[in-house]
Amino acid sequence: MNKQERISSGKTFLGIEFGSTRIKAVLIGEDHMPLAMGSHEWENQYENGIWTYSLDAVWSGLQDCYQNLAKDVKSRYGEPLTQVGAIGVSAMMHGYLAFDSQGSLLVPFRTWRNTMTEEAADKLTEEFHFNIPQRWSIAHLYQAILNQEEHVKDVAFFTTLAGYVHWKLTGKKVLGVGDASGMFPIDSSTGDYHSNMLEQFNSLTEPNGFPWKLEDILPKVLNAGEEAGCLTEEGAGLLDSSKTLQPGIPLCPPEGDAGTGMVATNSVAVKTGNVSAGTSVFAMIVLDQPLKNVHKEIDLVTTPSGEAVAMVHCNNCTSDLNAWVGLFREFAESFGIQADPGQLFSVLYQKALQADPDCGGLLAYNYFSGESITGFEEGRPLFVRTAESRFNLANFMRVHLFTALGALKNGLDILLKEEKVQVDKLYGHGGLFKTPVVGQRIMAAAVNSPVAVMETAGEGGAWGIALLASYMKNRKENESLAQFLNETVFGGETGITENPDPEDVKGFDQFMQCYNEGLPIERAAIQCLKRQ
């Protein structure tokens, strides 16, 4: 069957992911290779002290993204997109979308980027003896309770962004186990919310007299491979404003970007890991045994098939780095030079490999927003040096690449050095790795471990959720997700690997000493430089 016949007969799978700066759709064939793509750029807003996206922006962005995909299909293959074999929806994990019994949003969407739930996160971590990060949905709900917010008594359902979009497309209030593990702790032995912790939370909030129990307002947890409903007529209209796409298409469980990143890099098996580096950065390692201690810097989540994962998540990664590259582009344009964006990133990133291993005494912080791992509720992008620092372009680019991973390294050092977690190889994906070699070299220096990049990793989470849709439709009896990915999708591909250079590793450690000692500078900048 050729590509045109696959499209006309619906032998395809559609993956949609809501990233922090882009909504992306990927249509793949039965060979799991992309057939067409569409995207839509969007940005979060900082309103009344909250990082948020409006629901109008969610739907207008999704429809524009889908229309761009449909146009790509039509222009490539001459066929309208009327049906697909299965659909999957993925989005940024965590955050808080709360609805009343009529399905109305009670408060603006509170995204993962907010660092406003410290009191709740600390109290729940102590209560559960299990780390509850600030961005988790349960931390947002409990903080609203502690704040005595009026809306809490009216909550009939709360979920993540992926869970919300899936609900509106199918009518089903469900969530994939990986995304659900960013709402409330999951018991990997049952593949469901941790029952003892549910009871603890209900006991904790019983004096408030709410008309709900926590288990009644959480989405149902589903495992990879399970069916999660079908596209309704209303949902088809929400997705495709042209009304060309037919309802009745099955959907796989909605997942978070962490889980789809694991799928896209074939790192769902024990002792594998992946690093997603874009606007935010997170590293995930599939555990072969439980951690010995509770660490506030480490999330315990799951793969889309329910295996326990240690996750280090940082709110900030490439935003400040991208801003500096934009400044250099503006400089070039002032001289009449129209620099290709891809070439500009490549040239500047490559300069970092010519730098001093320790960045020549330069220091930078990339904190656009707060960073819980280092204890910041707000952030100020910052670059500082002494008169003796070796200030040149190579060191300048290297320090901004290093600091993009600074908070992440603090968390990974706990996992790799204190907890002695075993990882055979890390797979990188996201914007930091688009320039060949450089991002891998920097990451390998940070973790002192080989870092690989798959040729397919650039397709990202939209491709990952499309693979999960294919797994739901095509998996063999008792075939695990790890087997499906390794044998059917990747066929043994291991990617291009960069091993850590001892000088780079030593230089990164020296930079980190300066980074951690300099954190009071960042704190002073926040105190002295107020947001406008």
Side-chain angles (χ1 to χ4, degrees), residues 222-300:
L222 296 178
N223 214 307
E226 295 186 72
E227 282 206 18
C230 292
L231 188 67
T232 64
E233 189 168 344
E234 181 184 0
L238 283 171
L239 179 57
D240 179 11
S241 57
S242 73
K243 311 291 186 182
T244 304
L245 188 68
Q246 300 300 304
I249 299 167
L251 272 78
C252 69
E255 265 299 346
D257 52 358
T260 55
M262 300 179 82
V263 171
T265 53
N266 193 21
S267 49
V268 300
V270 169
K271 291 188 181 180
T272 62
N274 80 99
V275 177
S276 174
T279 303
S280 63
V281 60
F282 53 81
M284 307 182 70
I285 299 174
V286 186
L287 299 174
D288 61 343
Q289 57 187 5
L291 300 183
K292 296 185 284 292
N293 299 297
V294 175
H295 303 277
K296 289 185 67 175
E297 300 87 351
I298 310 297
D299 299 9
L300 291 175

Side-chain angles (χ1 to χ4, degrees), residues 326-518:
L327 187 72
F328 287 122
R329 182 175 63 247
E330 186 179 342
F331 171 80
E333 289 173 352
S334 298
F335 283 87
I337 302 168
Q338 297 298 318
D340 174 75
Q343 184 183 18
L344 190 63
F345 272 95
S346 178
V347 168
L348 290 172
Y349 275 33
Q350 291 288 343
K351 288 295 291 187
L353 300 184
Q354 304 168 20
D356 296 314
D358 65 349
C359 307
L362 305 184
L363 180 62
Y365 295 98
N366 63 333
Y367 295 2
F368 262 55
S369 60
E371 195 60 79
S372 56
I373 283 186
T374 46
F376 288 87
E377 292 188 10
E378 292 185 62
R380 301 289 184 272
L382 184 68
F383 170 67
V384 64
R385 63 189 175 99
T386 68
E388 293 78 28
S389 300
R390 293 178 293 282
F391 185 38
N392 55 48
L393 182 58
N395 282 336
F396 184 83
M397 291 307 302
R398 190 176 183 91
V399 77
H400 283 92
L401 284 163
F402 271 23
T403 201
L405 305 177
L408 181 77
K409 179 166 173 59
N410 276 337
L412 283 174
D413 279 352
I414 294 169
L415 274 181
L416 302 177
K417 295 179 181 179
E418 291 185 29
E419 288 282 352
K420 309 297 183 186
V421 167
Q422 300 294 310
V423 58
D424 295 332
K425 184 183 287 186
L426 284 173
Y427 290 90
H429 61 109
L432 189 73
F433 300 101
K434 284 185 178 178
T435 298
V437 179
V438 181
Q440 286 175 263
R441 278 271 302 269
I442 300 298
M443 184 62 72
V447 298
N448 195 18
S449 178
V451 174
V453 171
M454 298 280 201
E455 287 185 21
T456 51
E459 307 301 344
W463 185 62
I465 191 68
L467 294 180
L468 287 173
S470 173
Y471 175 63
M472 176 193 71
K473 200 80 183 285
N474 294 324
R475 71 185 179 121
K476 302 169 189 170
E477 188 175 358
N478 299 321
E479 183 181 32
S480 71
L481 178 60
Q483 289 172 323
F484 174 78
L485 292 175
N486 199 47
E487 297 167 12
T488 304
V489 177
F490 290 96
E493 180 195 350
T494 58
I496 301 169
T497 302
E498 284 290 325
N499 293 307
D501 180 281
E503 285 299 309
D504 287 343
V505 173
K506 182 181 177 182
F508 209 120
D509 286 340
Q510 291 170 333
F511 164 77
M512 285 304 299
Q513 182 177 350
C514 184
Y515 178 95
N516 287 319
E517 289 175 353

Side-chain angles (χ1 to χ4, degrees), residues 58-86:
V58 170
W59 294 112
S60 63
L62 175 60
Q63 289 173 1
D64 183 56
C65 174
Y66 181 83
Q67 284 304 313
N68 289 331
L69 171 79
K71 289 174 184 175
D72 192 33
V73 170
K74 183 73 171 174
S75 66
R76 285 173 184 259
Y77 309 107
E79 290 284 340
L81 192 57
T82 60
Q83 57 181 320
V84 297

Side-chain angles (χ1 to χ4, degrees), residues 78-283:
E79 290 284 340
L81 192 57
T82 60
Q83 57 181 320
V84 297
I87 299 172
V89 176
S90 174
M92 301 167 277
M93 286 182 73
H94 318 118
Y96 183 67
L97 279 155
F99 301 88
D100 65 16
S101 59
Q102 304 303 309
S104 297
L105 185 68
L106 290 166
V107 290
F109 173 28
R110 298 171 182 179
T111 77
W112 57 270
R113 199 169 194 172
N114 291 286
T115 49
M116 53 193 276
T117 64
E118 184 177 13
E119 181 184 6
D122 288 347
K123 286 186 175 181
L124 291 177
T125 296
E126 183 179 358
E127 179 74 21
F128 295 160
H129 301 291
F130 184 101
N131 182 40
I132 302 296
Q134 287 198 50
R135 67 190 173 279
W136 278 26
S137 307
I138 194 61
H140 280 281
L141 175 64
Y142 192 48
Q143 190 66 54
I145 293 170
L146 295 176
N147 293 345
Q148 298 183 330
E149 294 187 36
E150 182 67 22
H151 81 272
V152 177
K153 69 181 189 318
D154 298 319
V155 175
F157 176 56
F158 76 120
T159 188
T160 65
L161 180 55
Y164 164 68
V165 174
H166 181 95
W167 168 39
K168 291 301 180 182
L169 294 181
T170 65
K172 301 294 185 181
K173 296 177 179 178
V174 300
L175 205 56
V177 63
D179 205 8
S181 69
M183 289 196 72
F184 192 84
I186 293 289
D187 182 348
S188 286
S189 66
T190 65
D192 206 345
Y193 300 116
H194 203 291
S195 58
N196 290 344
M197 294 182 195
L198 283 173
E199 290 179 14
Q200 286 175 279
F201 186 87
N202 287 330
S203 296
L204 199 62
T205 57
E206 188 175 8
N208 298 90
F210 297 126
W212 48 260
K213 297 279 190 186
L214 183 59
E215 57 269 29
D216 299 328
I217 62 173
L218 282 163
K220 180 183 178 182
V221 180
L222 296 178
N223 214 307
E226 295 186 72
E227 282 206 18
C230 292
L231 188 67
T232 64
E233 189 168 344
E234 181 184 0
L238 283 171
L239 179 57
D240 179 11
S241 57
S242 73
K243 311 291 186 182
T244 304
L245 188 68
Q246 300 300 304
I249 299 167
L251 272 78
C252 69
E255 265 299 346
D257 52 358
T260 55
M262 300 179 82
V263 171
T265 53
N266 193 21
S267 49
V268 300
V270 169
K271 291 188 181 180
T272 62
N274 80 99
V275 177
S276 174
T279 303
S280 63
V281 60
F282 53 81

